[in-house]
Coordinates of all heavy atoms in Angstrom, one line a residue:
R114 N 102.4 101.6 85.9 CA 101.4 102.6 85.6 C 100.8 103.1 86.9 O 100.5 104.3 87.1 CB 100.5 102.0 84.6 CG 101.1 101.6 83.2 CD 100.1 101.3 82.3 NE 99.6 99.9 82.5 CZ 100.2 98.8 82.0 NH1 101.2 99.0 81.1 NH2 99.5 97.6 82.1
G115 N 100.6 102.1 87.9 CA 99.9 102.6 89.0 C 100.7 103.5 90.0 O 100.3 104.5 90.5
F116 N 102.1 103.2 90.1 CA 102.9 104.1 90.7 C 103.1 105.4 90.1 O 103.4 106.4 90.8 CB 104.3 103.3 90.9 CG 104.3 102.3 92.0 CD1 104.7 101.1 91.7 CD2 103.7 102.5 93.2 CE1 104.8 100.0 92.6 CE2 103.6 101.5 94.1 CZ 104.1 100.3 93.9
Y117 N 102.9 105.5 88.7 CA 103.0 106.7 88.1 C 101.8 107.5 88.5 O 101.9 108.9 88.8 CB 102.8 106.5 86.6 CG 102.5 107.8 85.7 CD1 103.5 108.8 85.7 CD2 101.4 108.0 85.0 CE1 103.4 110.0 84.9 CE2 101.2 109.2 84.4 CZ 102.2 110.1 84.2 OH 102.0 111.3 83.5
L118 N 100.5 107.0 88.6 CA 99.5 107.8 89.3 C 99.8 108.3 90.6 O 99.4 109.4 91.0 CB 98.1 106.9 89.3 CG 97.6 106.3 88.0 CD1 96.2 105.7 88.3 CD2 97.6 107.4 86.9
H119 N 100.5 107.4 91.4 CA 100.8 107.9 92.8 C 101.8 109.0 92.8 O 101.7 110.0 93.5 CB 101.4 106.7 93.5 CG 100.5 105.5 93.8 ND1 100.8 104.6 94.8 CD2 99.1 105.4 93.6 CE1 99.8 103.8 94.9 NE2 98.8 104.3 94.2
E120 N 102.7 109.1 91.9 CA 103.7 110.2 91.8 C 103.0 111.4 91.4 O 103.3 112.4 92.0 CB 104.8 109.9 90.9 CG 105.9 110.8 91.0 CD 107.2 110.3 90.1 OE1 107.1 109.3 89.4 OE2 108.3 111.0 90.2
L121 N 102.0 111.4 90.5 CA 101.2 112.5 90.1 C 100.5 113.0 91.3 O 100.4 114.2 91.6 CB 100.3 112.1 89.1 CG 100.9 112.0 87.7 CD1 99.7 111.6 86.6 CD2 101.5 113.2 87.0
L122 N 99.9 112.2 92.1 CA 99.1 112.6 93.2 C 100.0 113.2 94.4 O 99.6 114.2 95.0 CB 98.3 111.4 93.8 CG 97.1 111.0 92.8 CD1 96.5 109.6 93.4 CD2 96.0 111.9 93.0
L123 N 101.1 112.5 94.6 CA 102.0 113.1 95.6 C 102.6 114.4 95.3 O 102.8 115.4 96.1 CB 103.1 112.1 95.9 CG 102.8 110.8 96.6 CD1 103.8 109.7 96.4 CD2 102.4 111.1 98.0
K124 N 103.0 114.7 94.0 CA 103.4 115.8 93.6 C 102.4 116.9 93.3 O 102.6 118.1 93.4 CB 104.3 115.8 92.3 CG 105.6 114.9 92.5 CD 106.4 114.8 91.2 CE 107.7 114.0 91.5 NZ 108.7 114.7 92.3
G125 N 101.2 116.5 92.9 CA 100.1 117.4 92.4 C 99.1 117.9 93.5 O 98.6 118.9 93.3
L126 N 99.1 117.1 94.6 CA 98.0 117.6 95.5 C 98.6 118.0 96.9 O 99.4 117.3 97.4 CB 97.0 116.3 95.8 CG 96.1 115.7 94.7 CD1 95.3 114.6 95.3 CD2 95.3 116.9 94.2
P127 N 98.2 119.2 97.3 CA 98.6 119.5 98.6 C 97.9 118.8 99.8 O 96.9 118.0 99.4 CB 98.1 121.1 98.8 CG 96.8 121.1 97.9 CD 97.2 120.0 96.7
R128 N 98.6 118.6 100.9 CA 98.0 118.0 101.9 C 96.7 118.5 102.5 O 96.4 119.6 102.5 CB 98.9 117.7 103.1 CG 100.2 116.8 102.7 CD 100.9 116.5 104.0 NE 102.1 115.5 103.7 CZ 103.3 115.8 103.3 NH1 103.6 117.2 103.0 NH2 104.2 114.9 103.0
Q129 N 95.8 117.6 103.0 CA 94.5 117.9 103.6 C 93.7 118.8 102.7 O 93.1 119.9 103.1 CB 95.0 118.6 105.0 CG 95.6 117.7 106.0 CD 95.8 118.3 107.3 OE1 95.0 119.0 107.8 NE2 96.9 117.9 108.0
D130 N 93.6 118.5 101.5 CA 92.8 119.3 100.5 C 92.0 118.2 99.8 O 92.4 117.6 98.8 CB 93.7 120.0 99.6 CG 92.9 120.8 98.5 OD1 91.7 121.1 98.9 OD2 93.5 121.4 97.5
P131 N 90.7 118.0 100.2 CA 89.9 116.9 99.7 C 89.6 117.2 98.2 O 89.3 118.3 97.8 CB 88.6 117.0 100.5 CG 89.0 117.8 101.8 CD 90.1 118.8 101.4
H132 N 89.7 116.0 97.5 CA 89.2 115.9 96.2 C 88.5 114.7 95.9 O 89.1 113.6 95.3 CB 90.5 116.0 95.1 CG 91.1 117.3 95.1 ND1 90.8 118.2 94.3 CD2 92.2 117.8 95.9 CE1 91.6 119.3 94.4 NE2 92.4 119.0 95.4
P133 N 87.3 114.5 96.3 CA 86.5 113.3 96.4 C 86.4 112.7 94.9 O 86.3 111.6 94.7 CB 85.1 113.6 97.0 CG 85.1 115.0 97.0 CD 86.5 115.5 96.9
A134 N 86.1 113.7 94.0 CA 85.8 113.1 92.6 C 87.2 112.6 92.0 O 87.0 111.5 91.3 CB 85.3 114.3 91.7

Side-chain angles (χ1 to χ4, degrees):
R114 296 190 283 269
F116 286 129
Y117 171 67
L118 300 190
H119 288 189
E120 190 170 6
L121 289 178
L122 290 166
L123 288 166
K124 291 181 179 295
L126 293 184
R128 290 188 174 91
Q129 301 188 30
D130 184 15
H132 290 269

